[in-house]
Every structure is written in structure tokens, then in C-alpha cells.
Amino acid sequence: MPDATPPAEPALALPPPLTLALTVNGARHAVEIRPWTTLLDLLRDRLHLTGTKKGCDQGQCGACTVILDGKRVNACLVLAATRPGSEVRTVEGLEGPDGALHPLQAAFIEHDAFQCGYCTPGQLCSGVALIGEGHAGSAEEIREWMSGNICRCGAYPHIVEAIREVAGR
Amino acid sequence: MTPFAFDRAGDLPAALRAGGAPGARFLAGGTNLVDLMKYGVEAPRRLVDLGPLDGLRRVEETPDGGLRIGALVTNADCAAHPLVMERAPLLASAILHGATPQLRNMATTGGNLLQRTRCYYFYDTATACNKRAPGTGCPAREGVNRIHAILGHSEHCIATHPSDMCVALAALEAVVEVEGPGGARRIPMADFHRLPDDAPERDTTLAHGEVITAVAIPPDRFGSHHTYLKLRDRLSYAFALVSVAVGVGMEGTAIREARIALGGVAHKPWRREEAEAAMRGLAPEAAGERAAAILLEGARGFSHNAFKIELARRAIGRAVRQAASGTPQHHANKVIL
Ligand SMILES: Cc1cc2nc3c(=O)[nH]c(=O)nc-3n(C[C@H](O)[C@H](O)[C@H](O)COP(=O)(O)OP(=O)(O)OC[C@H]3O[C@@H](n4cnc5c(N)ncnc54)[C@H](O)[C@@H]3O)c2cc1C
Ligand code: SF4
Ligand code: FES
Ligand code: FES
């Protein structure tokens, strides 16, 4: 959608598109974007990786969480143009090379850690990053460090259980 | 978002040249500026991305034993840095009480200092707001003002500065280091943010085109005798209604020296040297009462936020006790001792 945003003042000339090279889930891409294209819109609308969800588009819900150069971030607030050469991992890239589910994906199914599933890709990326950060030592700690991922269905207790189980392995 | 031109700064001089142009703005983590651009509250004509300036991404020791934290160090990296955890644990704690892990991975030291108020009317371009559109009025005074100021407000604006990090920086007497077209400047925290007075559109004393390069923190004097106590509407991931950053030096059971700043109550972190002086030589309980009386002198609430005055008084008492006993509030364990 932002790619189609009309100029507010007709007199303002649109800046030329720029070419961005980045790696998403191991695959290299070069895409023409505008400076205001967010990483989220780039993933969904240009690369058609629609696993990453748009909830609020304002950094408040965590549905758009992806792992950017090893760190979990809200893709809706990242201007893609600021990250040339970056490596992005989305929910589509969590599975193993053999196509097996990531242990956290399997644990989400086992623990019934979602209902509608809209927040789930963000929860999974956030949870995978959290386990790597080493802040999943207790239920209390997991709740605090997963606070950036809102679940309107209230699946929180099961999400915490799933992360606890995988972090404890 | 209103379309804009985009530059990636090659080096600091190039950033200063590009950022000095009329309508140009610097971009760091983007967590505040990009959000406000989506709401139409901000519409820069040009963004100058500071991202490539790796020299601003360092935490270093200063010769006096203090720290210098580069403007592009993310809030996450700052709070997890061994030097910060060791020498400025109050700062690490305040940062971990703010936002979320995802946001802290993007948010930077410089951007956090310059984040704008969360006043609902400031965000809503359909309403008046003296901060967003000078001269249009301040609907918050008669409107929904639960999150607004009780101290230092003016008839033109009653907004608060929303940062947690800045409250700790105020108590630590940090200094903001700046480079501009006119050269380098060092701005003590106390002079960095402004009160609204009759110009609420100006949050800080930074001039257009100036870049924050770092924040310098004096050597640690408090050890484990500090706390950041943040009270809010949910247990996590909410801005402060009231927060207290305090560090004390103890002599036996009495307070030898103290530094204390409040968040969520004013247009800037609220600090009064008189309050700190009055705490000297007192036991924690009495020191907390004296500090609260002085810090909250002249406090005045509005229809929805007068409760903050009593909340702040009690939070100060709790925080001084936590600091004096060397048991800082933990960001994940929500039990308040
Ligand atoms: C949902 C949500 C919840 C949040 N909760 C909290 C919270 O609980 N506590 C809290 O403290 N904060 C909170 N924040 C705010 C967050 O901390 C700030 O948005 C962040 O610190 C801003 O840093 P940034 O690098 O992303 O700044 P940007 O958005 O990149 O920039 C902000 C401003 O600073 C300017 N700027 C940035 N760097 C420099 C520089 N080096 N020199 C000159 N100008 C510069 C930009 O031009 C812009 O005007 C929250 C944010 C969101 C979206
Ligand atoms: S309090 Fe300040 S920011 Fe809020 S509406 Fe009034 S002038 Fe605007
Ligand atoms: S869509 Fe990005 S945080 Fe909600
Ligand atoms: S499963 Fe529905 S929002 Fe989380």
C-alpha cells in the first residue's frame, strides 16, 4: 500500500526508486523500492511472503516481528532502504532444510498455543529469538520478554509453556 | 506517509550537511519518527539515515572512569553491555522497563532522548494541539489527560516526556554530546529537555541540524544502591504513569548523598537539587518524605490525573527505601518490595 501513497502536495516530485539488495530466508533478492517502503510491505507485497502479518502497522502489536540481522524487530517500523545487504528471517524460514518444523513450531502445535493464528508468526519469530537471547529462564521472564507480542485470543499461557519447553531442552 | 527524499549519511560531516537543509530530519531506529510519519504528525521532506555512522555505535570508558554511550547504540545493546551493567545499572534497568525487546533492538540512545510525547491529541491530526500545530490550543487541558503532567506544565501544553531512559540519565547527571554546523557542544541532561512555557513545539534545546553523537555518564557513585521504579496501567509494555530513578550513597543507615528524578509527571525528567540536599543525613523513610514534599511542590493535576500526585509521593517513598537497602526493582519480577 505505501508504494501507492500519492504525494500530499502535487508539486512535490517523487524521489526515484532505489534498488535494495537483501537476503530473505537464505534467498537473495534485489528489489526496486521507494524510501517509504517498510520492510513489512516489502516482504508481503513485493516478495509475497505473507506469513509475516500486519496488525497495527505502528509498532504496538508484534504481529510483524521478523529476525533482522539476528535481532527481532517490528518490520512495520523499519524503512527497508535503511538496511541494504541485510539478512532477514521470517516465519517461512524457521523450518529446517528438510522441511521439518522448527522445534518451537512443533511445540506451539503440541501446546495449542494459538487460536486464530494471526499473531502466531510474530510470536514464533519472537520466541525463537528470545530463546537465543537467553531470557527464557522462567515463566515470569518469558512473559516479560514476550511482552511485545500481543495475542487477542489470549493464548498466552500456552505460548509461555511452549517456549519454556523448547528453551529447557 | 508523505513522500520524502532519502540520504544515507556517508560520514558525520556529510550527515551534518544533509541534515541542515530545511525540512530535513535525521533517522536512527525509526521507532518514533516512522510511527509519527504514518500518522501524518511528522512530514519531513528529507530523511538522513544515520545508520552507516558506525563510529556512533560504541560504548567506551572515559578517562575519569565514566562511560560514553554512542548515539546509535541500541537500547537493547546499551542495557546488555557489561560496562553499563557494571557502572550504570540504573540506566540498564530503566531501559529494560521501557517498550519491548523488539523495539529496544531498534531504538537508539539519541532517538530515545528525542522521542516525542504520547499525548493522544498530539497524535490525532484531526484535533487542535499547540505542540503539533502552534497556536491551535490544548484540548488535553479539558479532555482526556490521565497520562499528562502534574508539574511544570503551562497554559499552552500539559504533555509529559515519555522516556524511561531519560529519567535515569537525569538522575545520573549525564551529559548529551552534540555536533552541529557551529561545532561541538555538551548539554547537561538538566538543560536538554525544556518545559513547555509558551513554545511547546520545542521539546529540547537541540538546534535544527545538530546531531547527538553520544551521552557521557559520570563515574558510578551508587553501586547497588539505586532503583528504577515504574508504575503503569499494565505490568509490562506501557508508558509510565509515574516513575522514579534514584541513586543514594549510604553512611551506616543514613543517606550521605542522593540523586533522584521523576518520570511521567512533566515535560522533562523532573529533578530538584534542593530535594537531594534535603535528603542528606536522614534515614530512608524521612529522606523519602522530604524529597517527595520538595519534588512535588506546586504540583497540580487535571480532571483525570490528579491521582498522580499521591501516587508519586508514595512511589518516591518506596524507591528511596529500595535504593537505600540495595534492592533495586527488577524489570521482570513485578513484586514491589
Ligand atoms: C509501541 C511503543 C512503545 C514504547 N514504549 C516505551 C516505553 O515504555 N518507554 C520508553 O522510554 N520508550 C518507549 N517507546 C519509545 C521508544 O523508546 C522510542 O521510540 C525510541 O527510543 C526512539 O529511538 P529511535 O532510534 O527509534 O528514534 P527515531 O524514531 O529514529 O528518531 C526519533 C527522533 O530523534 C531524532 N534523532 C534520532 N537520532 C538522532 C541523533 N543521533 N541526532 C539527532 N537527532 C536524532 C530523529 O530525527 C527523530 O526526530 C515506545 C515506542 C513504541 C512504538
Ligand atoms: S498537552 Fe501538549 S501535546 Fe497534548 S494537546 Fe496539549 S499542547 Fe498538544
Ligand atoms: S504490525 Fe508491526 S507491530 Fe503491529
Ligand atoms: S492466536 Fe489469535 S491473536 Fe493470537
mmCIF file of all heavy atoms in Angstrom, chain A residues 114-120 123 150-153 155, ligand 4:
data_model
loop_
_atom_site.group_PDB
_atom_site.id
_atom_site.type_symbol
_atom_site.label_atom_id
_atom_site.label_comp_id
_atom_site.label_asym_id
_atom_site.label_seq_id
_atom_site.Cartn_x
_atom_site.Cartn_y
_atom_site.Cartn_z
ATOM 1 N N PHE A 114 -2.210 -21.329 19.988
ATOM 2 C CA PHE A 114 -2.873 -20.302 19.166
ATOM 3 C C PHE A 114 -4.326 -20.681 18.941
ATOM 4 O O PHE A 114 -4.707 -21.854 19.057
ATOM 5 C CB PHE A 114 -2.176 -20.134 17.818
ATOM 6 C CG PHE A 114 -1.906 -21.428 17.102
ATOM 7 C CD1 PHE A 114 -2.854 -21.987 16.268
ATOM 8 C CD2 PHE A 114 -0.700 -22.084 17.292
ATOM 9 C CE1 PHE A 114 -2.599 -23.184 15.613
ATOM 10 C CE2 PHE A 114 -0.444 -23.287 16.641
ATOM 11 C CZ PHE A 114 -1.396 -23.839 15.804
ATOM 12 N N GLN A 115 -5.110 -19.650 18.613
ATOM 13 C CA GLN A 115 -6.491 -19.917 18.209
ATOM 14 C C GLN A 115 -6.680 -19.431 16.774
ATOM 15 O O GLN A 115 -6.646 -20.206 15.845
ATOM 16 C CB GLN A 115 -7.464 -19.250 19.183
ATOM 17 C CG GLN A 115 -7.472 -19.985 20.522
ATOM 18 C CD GLN A 115 -8.366 -19.315 21.536
ATOM 19 O OE1 GLN A 115 -9.439 -18.835 21.228
ATOM 20 N NE2 GLN A 115 -7.912 -19.288 22.780
ATOM 21 N N CYS A 116 -6.802 -18.122 16.567
ATOM 22 C CA CYS A 116 -6.976 -17.649 15.184
ATOM 23 C C CYS A 116 -5.672 -17.722 14.401
ATOM 24 O O CYS A 116 -5.690 -17.821 13.178
ATOM 25 C CB CYS A 116 -7.527 -16.226 15.168
ATOM 26 S SG CYS A 116 -6.277 -14.956 15.525
ATOM 27 N N GLY A 117 -4.534 -17.630 15.074
ATOM 28 C CA GLY A 117 -3.245 -17.767 14.409
ATOM 29 C C GLY A 117 -2.658 -16.489 13.855
ATOM 30 O O GLY A 117 -1.549 -16.489 13.320
ATOM 31 N N TYR A 118 -3.379 -15.376 13.987
ATOM 32 C CA TYR A 118 -2.893 -14.148 13.349
ATOM 33 C C TYR A 118 -1.598 -13.644 13.986
ATOM 34 O O TYR A 118 -0.714 -13.141 13.304
ATOM 35 C CB TYR A 118 -3.959 -13.044 13.393
ATOM 36 C CG TYR A 118 -3.694 -11.955 12.392
ATOM 37 C CD1 TYR A 118 -4.038 -12.133 11.048
ATOM 38 C CD2 TYR A 118 -3.067 -10.767 12.752
ATOM 39 C CE1 TYR A 118 -3.774 -11.156 10.107
ATOM 40 C CE2 TYR A 118 -2.801 -9.787 11.814
ATOM 41 C CZ TYR A 118 -3.149 -9.986 10.492
ATOM 42 O OH TYR A 118 -2.881 -9.019 9.552
ATOM 43 N N CYS A 119 -1.485 -13.795 15.302
ATOM 44 C CA CYS A 119 -0.277 -13.299 15.975
ATOM 45 C C CYS A 119 0.866 -14.306 15.892
ATOM 46 O O CYS A 119 1.989 -13.994 16.277
ATOM 47 C CB CYS A 119 -0.582 -13.002 17.453
ATOM 48 S SG CYS A 119 -0.821 -14.510 18.442
ATOM 49 N N THR A 120 0.552 -15.548 15.449
ATOM 50 C CA THR A 120 1.475 -16.669 15.613
ATOM 51 C C THR A 120 2.820 -16.495 14.891
ATOM 52 O O THR A 120 3.868 -16.771 15.501
ATOM 53 C CB THR A 120 0.790 -17.986 15.207
ATOM 54 O OG1 THR A 120 -0.482 -18.043 15.861
ATOM 55 C CG2 THR A 120 1.617 -19.182 15.624
ATOM 56 N N GLN A 123 4.773 -14.320 17.064
ATOM 57 C CA GLN A 123 5.110 -14.992 18.332
ATOM 58 C C GLN A 123 6.271 -15.962 18.091
ATOM 59 O O GLN A 123 7.186 -16.068 18.920
ATOM 60 C CB GLN A 123 3.909 -15.798 18.869
ATOM 61 C CG GLN A 123 2.647 -14.992 19.126
ATOM 62 C CD GLN A 123 2.630 -14.261 20.465
ATOM 63 O OE1 GLN A 123 3.616 -14.292 21.208
ATOM 64 N NE2 GLN A 123 1.526 -13.610 20.762
ATOM 65 N N ILE A 150 1.373 -9.214 21.174
ATOM 66 C CA ILE A 150 0.016 -9.231 21.719
ATOM 67 C C ILE A 150 -0.767 -10.364 21.059
ATOM 68 O O ILE A 150 -0.627 -10.599 19.858
ATOM 69 C CB ILE A 150 -0.686 -7.886 21.422
ATOM 70 C CG1 ILE A 150 0.173 -6.712 21.865
ATOM 71 C CG2 ILE A 150 -2.069 -7.843 22.057
ATOM 72 C CD1 ILE A 150 0.360 -6.537 23.330
ATOM 73 N N CYS A 151 -1.573 -11.079 21.839
ATOM 74 C CA CYS A 151 -2.444 -12.121 21.297
ATOM 75 C C CYS A 151 -3.875 -11.806 21.698
ATOM 76 O O CYS A 151 -4.228 -11.921 22.869
ATOM 77 C CB CYS A 151 -2.039 -13.498 21.837
ATOM 78 S SG CYS A 151 -3.182 -14.800 21.326
ATOM 79 N N ARG A 152 -4.670 -11.394 20.721
ATOM 80 C CA ARG A 152 -6.069 -11.027 21.026
ATOM 81 C C ARG A 152 -6.870 -12.241 21.479
ATOM 82 O O ARG A 152 -7.879 -12.119 22.143
ATOM 83 C CB ARG A 152 -6.741 -10.387 19.803
ATOM 84 C CG ARG A 152 -6.314 -8.971 19.515
ATOM 85 C CD ARG A 152 -6.696 -7.986 20.619
ATOM 86 N NE ARG A 152 -5.640 -7.863 21.587
ATOM 87 C CZ ARG A 152 -5.696 -7.125 22.696
ATOM 88 N NH1 ARG A 152 -6.777 -6.448 22.978
ATOM 89 N NH2 ARG A 152 -4.699 -7.072 23.531
ATOM 90 N N CYS A 153 -6.450 -13.450 21.085
ATOM 91 C CA CYS A 153 -7.168 -14.650 21.512
ATOM 92 C C CYS A 153 -6.741 -15.076 22.922
ATOM 93 O O CYS A 153 -7.320 -16.003 23.474
ATOM 94 C CB CYS A 153 -6.928 -15.799 20.546
ATOM 95 S SG CYS A 153 -7.436 -15.442 18.860
ATOM 96 N N ALA A 155 -3.917 -16.536 24.041
ATOM 97 C CA ALA A 155 -3.267 -17.846 24.135
ATOM 98 C C ALA A 155 -1.997 -17.806 24.985
ATOM 99 O O ALA A 155 -1.214 -18.760 24.983
ATOM 100 C CB ALA A 155 -2.932 -18.358 22.729
HETATM 101 S S1 FES C 4 -3.959 -16.679 18.265
HETATM 102 FE FE1 FES C 4 -5.408 -15.155 17.707
HETATM 103 S S2 FES C 4 -4.300 -13.337 18.124
HETATM 104 FE FE2 FES C 4 -3.038 -14.837 18.980
#
